[in-house]
Amino acid sequence: MLALSAKGILPRVDYAIFADTGWEPRAVYTHLDRLEREIAEPAGIPVLRVTSGNIRKDALDPDHRFASMPLYILNQDGKPGMTRRQCTGEYKIKPIKKKVRELLGFPYPARIPRGTFVEQWVGISTDEFHRAKDSDVQYMLNRHPLIDMGWSRSDCIRYLTSLGLADTPKSSCLGCPFHGNAQWRSIRDASPDEWADVVEFDAAIRKGNARANATGKRLLGEAFLHRSRVPLDQAPIDHVTAAEWAALQQELDDEAGLEELEDGVIDGCSPWACRGEVEPIQDDFGLAT
């Protein structure tokens, strides 16, 4: 959408906003720098980077309230579970709304007058039209230009390729539990230092988040980044055996499941269309019951 606006195919936007969780892959930050330099700046479109903190550091800080990630849980009785997903709201939606209020001239807790709003473009394509939703606040009016243009994900890829941006990476936390095996392998094989980082984090959250443990709410089970619920450096990211696949059938549909296991859910980690729209089996990042 930024490129379409900068090239005059869509109307010129006033701002582009990137919500930074503080733990994106290096390739995402490199790509964002390039977009800003080659696309946004020549068109006079400011790219605003907003943040609520570093999600990795916050998870391991016993003094910090942590908005939980959707971690895979293995309960004491052997049953699988999942922690509640709060990270999108805290690290993406919250800082965007804060910045929008500032741009309107009504920072929190000021009341925004009725009829004062921004038109916010959300990059949902026709493949995922069911995710197109109205805003939950009156000062943001959601629009979906890609759907209005009838563009699918393939159309977006073709357009990006025509601009020399075929290598556009997915934006999501480096240690997002919704990565597929292909993404885990890519991190491991292409960026050893980032792989070491996520393996270390995976081990660090095994018994829950640091603040929960510090306050006596120890996880009664074990938490993992990979859906196999084994340590990430031991997870079957290269090949899934028949036995492992059979064990995963509780969670996955037969045909879609194998593709999801390999590629992850295709939807990007957008603030307004997070790939992790799942119902938690495990209610919180504290006690597993």
Side-chain angles (χ1 to χ4, degrees):
M1 293 190 305
L2 176 59
L4 288 167
S5 175
K7 301 299 182 182
I9 299 172
L10 288 174
R12 183 185 176 280
V13 294
D14 297 303
Y15 302 96
I17 299 180
F18 174 74
D20 185 5
T21 66
W23 200 28
E24 294 274 348
R26 188 180 304 113
V28 169
Y29 293 116
T30 299
H31 186 77
L32 180 60
D33 290 341
R34 183 186 174 194
L35 278 181
E36 188 168 11
R37 182 175 63 251
E38 298 181 11
I39 303 294
E41 287 182 358
I45 300 174
V47 176
L48 309 179
R49 307 188 189 202
V50 299
T51 184
S52 286
N54 184 299
I55 189 171
R56 187 193 192 284
K57 291 180 180 178
D58 293 347
L60 304 181
D61 183 355
D63 296 321
H64 193 283
R65 185 191 71 81
F66 180 61
S68 68
M69 299 167 64
L71 302 173
Y72 296 100
I73 300 297
L74 187 63
N75 286 293
Q76 287 182 315
D77 60 4
K79 292 182 179 180
M82 203 164 193
T83 57
R84 181 168 48 187
R85 175 177 60 85
Q86 300 171 314
C87 47
T88 300
E90 180 70 19
Y91 290 92
K92 288 183 178 286
I93 296 175
K94 180 179 177 180
I96 289 175
K97 287 182 173 178
K98 179 181 178 182
K99 176 54 68 174
V100 166
R101 291 181 66 102
E102 291 173 359
L103 293 173
L104 286 172
F106 298 95
Y108 184 82
R111 182 180 178 276
I112 299 178
R114 183 178 296 274
T116 301
F117 63 90
V118 299
E119 182 177 288
Q120 174 177 253
W121 292 1
V122 182
I124 295 176
S125 62
T126 56
D127 314 72
E128 47 192 17
F129 71 90
H130 58 284
R131 293 176 177 266
K133 299 179 177 67
D134 292 332
S135 172
D136 62 351
V137 291
Q138 292 185 352
Y139 60 86
M140 299 168 79
L141 174 65
N142 284 355
R143 279 199 54 202
H144 305 89
L146 299 178
I147 293 178
D148 294 341
M149 295 171 66
W151 275 30
S152 66
R153 182 177 295 273
S154 296
D155 293 318
C156 296
I157 292 173
R158 279 193 292 271
Y159 182 64
L160 290 171
T161 301
S162 74
L163 298 178
L165 299 171
D167 59 346
T168 297
K170 281 186 177 181
S171 173
S172 63
C173 286
L174 190 63
C176 178
F178 289 107
H179 285 339
N181 283 342
Q183 292 158 296
W184 289 126
R185 288 196 303 272
S186 177
I187 297 171
R188 182 195 63 189
D189 299 341
S191 185
D193 60 326
E194 289 185 320
W195 175 249
D197 184 35
V198 292
V199 167
E200 180 183 15
F201 180 80
D202 174 69
I205 50 85
R206 192 72 70 236
K207 289 299 179 183
N209 76 66
R211 183 168 184 180
N213 286 324
T215 56
K217 297 179 180 179
R218 187 170 179 269
L219 189 68
L220 304 180
E222 294 185 316
F224 302 88
L225 289 182
H226 193 268
R227 69 190 321 152
S228 63
R229 295 175 173 83
V230 299
L232 186 57
D233 57 354
Q234 301 171 33
I237 65 174
D238 288 304
H239 176 68
V240 180
T241 67
E244 289 164 343
W245 178 241
L248 287 169
Q249 289 309 298
Q250 299 177 57
E251 300 176 68
L252 305 172
D253 291 332
D254 198 27
E255 291 185 9
L258 184 57
E259 181 179 353
E260 182 176 320
L261 184 66
E262 175 64 12
D263 299 327
V265 181
I266 194 170
D267 304 308
C269 195
S270 160
W272 317 108
C274 177
R275 70 178 68 184
E277 289 185 355
V278 296
E279 288 297 321
I281 302 171
Q282 168 60 41
D283 183 57
D284 210 341
F285 200 3
L287 300 178
T289 58

